Amino acid sequence: MVNKRFLFVGVMMLFGPMFFFHGNPTKAQADLADQIAKADVEYGEYLSGECITCHQSTGASVGIPSINGIDAEIFVSIINAYRSKELENKVMQMMAGRLDDEQIISLAAYFSSLPD
Ligand code: HEC
């Protein structure tokens, strides 16, 4: 007869990491939403000074896309994609590469609060 407890431990050793990693993206998502909710919007506004030399503060797209009103979590993924060079634009790769996580989250909170 198979010892049930022994079987349980064996199964958890094999598949436990899968449960663990499976739970992680959801937790990361919740953490990000939490960080955005607590972000310093005024710091974001301060940092945005550099961005609006190219991105129109009026929300108009004149060659360069408007970034006003982009959902904050999407904004963070876009900037991270430029930072990791997944998105190609050289200028934005350079801009994003200079920002740390706190600055990106503050910018996301600020720009998402603007009407698009
Ligand atoms: C020198 C000009 C310039 C500056 C400064 C600049 N950007 Fe950009 N940005 C661009 C261009 C051009 C694109 C379009 C790139 C592309 O087609 O991939 C872009 C794209 C973006 C996008 C994606 C928009 C979309 O709809 O896909 C975001 C978000 C963004 N910029 C955020 C920022 C932030 C935040 C800053 C300030 C830290 C900033 N940008 C500073 C030129 C600039």
Side-chain angles (χ1 to χ4, degrees):
M1 237 195 89
V2 183
N3 180 323
K4 275 195 187 147
R5 204 167 74 89
F6 188 72
L7 195 66
F8 176 74
V9 171
V11 167
M12 285 314 285
M13 274 169 66
L14 273 176
F15 297 111
M18 272 165 63
F19 296 135
F20 179 74
F21 289 117
H22 181 77
N24 261 359
T26 336
K27 187 177 181 300
Q29 204 76 44
D31 284 351
L32 179 59
D34 198 43
Q35 284 174 301
I36 289 165
K38 290 183 190 145
D40 186 344
V41 179
E42 278 175 25
Y43 183 45
E45 182 173 11
Y46 164 76
L47 294 168
S48 75
E50 195 173 21
C51 316
I52 61 176
T53 57
C54 290
H55 297 280
Q56 300 287 301
S57 57
T58 59
S61 295
V62 280
I64 295 171
S66 163
I67 56 172
N68 292 1
I70 297 179
D71 173 84
E73 288 183 40
I74 293 171
F75 190 102
V76 171
S77 1
I78 295 174
I79 300 296
N80 282 334
Y82 282 121
R83 197 158 64 154
S84 68
K85 303 198 171 9
E86 241 168 276
L87 279 173
E88 299 280 328
N89 188 270
K90 285 272 180 285
V91 173
M92 281 309 302
Q93 287 180 351
M94 195 188 70
M95 295 302 305
R98 291 211 297 250
L99 300 169
D100 66 26
D101 289 345
E102 192 203 350
Q103 291 172 326
I104 293 170
I105 285 166
S106 304
L107 282 162
Y110 171 66
F111 279 111
S112 67
S113 75
L114 301 176
D116 57 12

